[in-house]
Amino acid sequence: MSEVVKLLGAWPSPFVIRARIALNIKSVEYEFIEETFGKRSELLLKSNPVNKQIPVLIHGDKSIPESMLIVQYIDEAWSSAGPPILPSLPFDRAIARFWPTYIDDKWFPALKSIVLGLDTEPTEEKLKKVREGLALLEDAFNKISKGKDFFGGDQIGYIDIGFGSFLAWLKLVEETEGVNLVDETTTPSLAKWVPKFCEHDAVKDVLPPIEKLIGFSKLLRSNVDLVINPK
Amino acid sequence: MSEVVKLLGAWPSPFVIRARIALNIKSVEYEFIEETFGKRSELLLKSNPVNKQIPVLIHGDKSIPESMLIVQYIDEAWSSAGPPILPSLPFDRAIARFWPTYIDDKWFPALKSIVLGLDTEPTEEKLKKVREGLALLEDAFNKISKGKDFFGGDQIGYIDIGFGSFLAWLKLVEETEGVNLVDETTTPSLAKWVPKFCEHDAVKDVLPPIEKLIGFSKLLRSNVDLVINPK
């Protein structure tokens, strides 16, 4: 496992952040190759010809697409290099795998729609959906963490990575919309989890600063077509 | 692992078929509990409260949602009960996990749109998308199967299950639209794979007969709202 490791990505992408956190947990050294917004490099098209999206992990002569599949790959390829990312029991593994699919398919679209300023429905409706998802995640945290710091117990695990990768974007929406989404009243367990996750050694240097993200979100809003239908 | 196994499903669902094939590969006895079309049972709402969809695997007091997560759970929970469903090497596992995500997110929507008769775009455009996906899957088969019978090599594996579960629906579209989609000219490897997959012991009794499926597709077409926005 001494082959060169490269990650094709972009600093604002929550999906790319997932791969970076997993690499950090396993102490894997890697070259971070950033794509230019609105373009696709030859390397990206060559290494992920089917869906042409970041992130792509390049390990030696192998290319792995899809953020949570990359996280699982890292967990399996460097199984002895750091704490496990997925739990060990089959049922716990299934539940861990479930939540990021929920987050990506059902929860994130509402948050993304707010960030992009799409006029699909009133912002209040979107915020309601974001809050409903957070209530489910609060409940899931209480069941899964068993009183410990993280979804993964004493260590950051698969759900922590899948959800935590969106925290900078969640904070951005809190700031730009002037609302509280994660707080001690409505989501007390997540409110305790957020700073512990953000300050974790594997995370703190890859979550983007909020000011920088606000600037980037303006670029996104003025190029919505490119975000929805990338070239 | 002697707890009672139940599967909440419905015979026409490709997603339910995936779970049934995996249970058959591992020779797991299970009770098949069928949901009524257009309704959601109390048991479904209780065992899958987040996304309220079939299939749900109930194993003792545990409930597992999401078809491909159920397949992985079955592979892990009954690891010694039959041939492995996922390959053993991390990279092969990542690629195996990738293709069903491609199939579900990018390929199936066009096929589903034809079955439901949605007027989002002309049928010719949808068929073009279905064919483009099949060309990618033909290419993937040639790379992954290494000259053997299945994506999984000598045995049915994770991609076989993820893709093969749609074969009855693909056949239905071929019949109703009067077109060839998998054939010896355009997708020769898939054309050889289809009968081997359909006649496999773990598969042959769970793929629905085409006549029965044509009848069901008429029920779907006359209740499109219920399919798109289930109650």
Side-chain angles (χ1 to χ4, degrees):
Chain A
M1 286 296 167
S2 61
E3 293 139 305
V4 170
V5 179
K6 298 176 185 177
L7 182 69
L8 302 193
W11 63 266
S13 162
F15 305 103
V16 174
I17 288 168
R18 290 170 168 178
R20 301 183 79 186
I21 294 171
L23 289 165
N24 287 346
I25 287 174
K26 299 291 188 175
S27 304
V28 178
E29 290 197 18
Y30 66 99
E31 182 187 353
F32 187 42
I33 303 174
E34 295 218 57
E35 290 287 308
T36 307
F37 175 72
K39 293 182 186 172
R40 281 167 165 155
S41 69
E42 284 301 311
L43 184 57
L44 175 60
L45 295 172
K46 189 183 135 208
S47 57
N48 189 3
V50 175
N51 65 17
K52 306 177 184 70
Q53 288 167 333
I54 53 170
V56 182
L57 185 75
I58 302 177
H59 186 193
D61 60 355
K62 298 178 169 67
S63 300
I64 300 106
E66 293 289 325
S67 63
M68 294 312 290
L69 299 188
I70 292 174
V71 172
Q72 286 188 75
Y73 174 79
I74 292 167
D75 197 30
E76 295 178 353
W78 288 275
S79 57
S80 56
I85 294 172
L86 274 162
S88 57
L89 294 175
F91 177 69
D92 296 342
R93 293 165 70 84
I95 296 305
R97 289 183 181 121
F98 170 72
W99 282 104
T101 70
Y102 166 77
I103 288 165
D104 288 0
D105 297 344
K106 308 277 168 67
W107 180 76
F108 178 57
L111 191 75
K112 182 178 175 181
S113 179
I114 297 171
V115 171
L116 295 178
L118 305 181
D119 56 359
T120 46
E121 60 184 342
T123 305
E124 267 314 309
E125 282 302 307
K126 297 176 195 170
L127 286 170
K128 187 173 163 229
K129 287 180 185 170
V130 170
R131 286 198 172 96
E132 283 168 356
L134 291 172
L136 289 175
L137 286 158
E138 169 82 6
D139 190 43
F141 185 91
N142 291 333
K143 283 181 187 150
I144 296 168
S145 67
K146 292 170 188 151
K148 300 197 171 173
D149 285 355
F150 300 107
F151 285 94
D154 292 320
Q155 295 288 341
I156 283 183
Y158 196 74
I159 307 175
D160 296 283
I161 296 172
F163 178 33
S165 56
F166 289 106
L167 286 180
W169 287 98
L170 196 61
K171 184 79 190 158
L172 175 134
V173 168
E174 287 186 324
E175 295 228 352
T176 56
E177 303 299 325
V179 293
N180 281 339
L181 295 170
V182 173
D183 63 37
E184 285 167 23
T185 313
T186 52
T187 55
S189 299
L190 294 183
K192 279 183 205 148
W193 166 78
V194 167
K196 285 178 188 156
F197 179 82
C198 295
E199 289 155 20
H200 189 282
D201 274 348
V203 175
K204 62 184 181 198
D205 295 330
V206 299
L207 284 189
I210 195 73
E211 300 73 25
K212 200 175 165 192
L213 205 57
I214 288 174
F216 182 75
S217 73
K218 287 174 186 161
L219 179 67
L220 287 181
R221 278 199 179 209
S222 56
N223 290 278
V224 166
D225 281 350
L226 208 53
V227 180
I228 306 286
N229 298 304
K231 299 215 189 314
Chain B
M1 286 293 167
S2 60
E3 294 139 305
V4 171
V5 179
K6 298 175 185 178
L7 182 69
L8 303 193
W11 64 266
S13 163
F15 305 101
V16 173
I17 288 168
R18 291 171 167 177
R20 300 183 79 187
I21 294 171
L23 288 165
N24 286 346
I25 287 174
K26 298 291 188 176
S27 304
V28 177
E29 291 198 17
Y30 65 98
E31 182 187 353
F32 187 42
I33 303 174
E34 295 218 57
E35 290 285 308
T36 307
F37 175 73
K39 292 182 187 172
R40 281 167 164 155
S41 70
E42 284 300 311
L43 184 57
L44 175 60
L45 294 172
K46 188 183 137 209
S47 57
N48 190 2
V50 174
N51 64 16
K52 306 178 182 71
Q53 287 167 334
I54 52 171
V56 182
L57 184 75
I58 301 177
H59 186 194
D61 60 355
K62 297 178 169 64
S63 300
I64 299 107
E66 293 290 324
S67 63
M68 294 313 290
L69 300 187
I70 292 173
V71 172
Q72 286 188 76
Y73 174 80
I74 291 167
D75 197 29
E76 295 178 351
W78 287 276
S79 57
S80 57
I85 293 171
L86 275 162
S88 57
L89 294 175
F91 177 70
D92 296 342
R93 292 165 70 83
I95 296 306
R97 289 182 182 123
F98 170 73
W99 281 104
T101 70
Y102 166 78
I103 288 165
D104 289 359
D105 298 345
K106 309 275 167 70
W107 180 76
F108 178 57
L111 191 74
K112 182 178 174 180
S113 181
I114 297 171
V115 171
L116 295 178
L118 305 181
D119 55 0
T120 46
E121 60 184 344
T123 304
E124 267 315 308
E125 283 301 308
K126 297 177 195 170
L127 285 170
K128 188 173 162 231
K129 287 180 185 170
V130 170
R131 286 197 172 96
E132 284 168 355
L134 291 171
L136 289 174
L137 286 158
E138 169 82 6
D139 190 43
F141 185 90
N142 290 333
K143 284 181 187 148
I144 296 168
S145 67
K146 292 167 186 152
K148 300 195 171 174
D149 285 354
F150 300 107
F151 285 93
D154 292 321
Q155 295 288 342
I156 283 183
Y158 196 73
I159 307 175
D160 296 283
I161 296 172
F163 179 33
S165 56
F166 289 107
L167 287 180
W169 287 99
L170 198 61
K171 184 79 191 158
L172 174 135
V173 169
E174 287 186 325
E175 295 229 350
T176 56
E177 303 299 323
V179 292
N180 280 339
L181 295 169
V182 173
D183 63 38
E184 284 168 24
T185 314
T186 52
T187 55
S189 299
L190 294 182
K192 279 182 205 146
W193 166 79
V194 168
K196 284 177 189 156
F197 179 81
C198 294
E199 289 155 18
H200 189 283
D201 275 347
V203 176
K204 63 184 183 198
D205 295 331
V206 299
L207 283 190
I210 195 72
E211 299 74 25
K212 200 176 165 191
L213 205 57
I214 289 174
F216 181 75
S217 73
K218 289 176 186 160
L219 178 67
L220 287 181
R221 279 198 178 210
S222 57
N223 290 277
V224 166
D225 281 350
L226 208 53
V227 179
I228 306 287
N229 299 303
K231 301 216 186 312

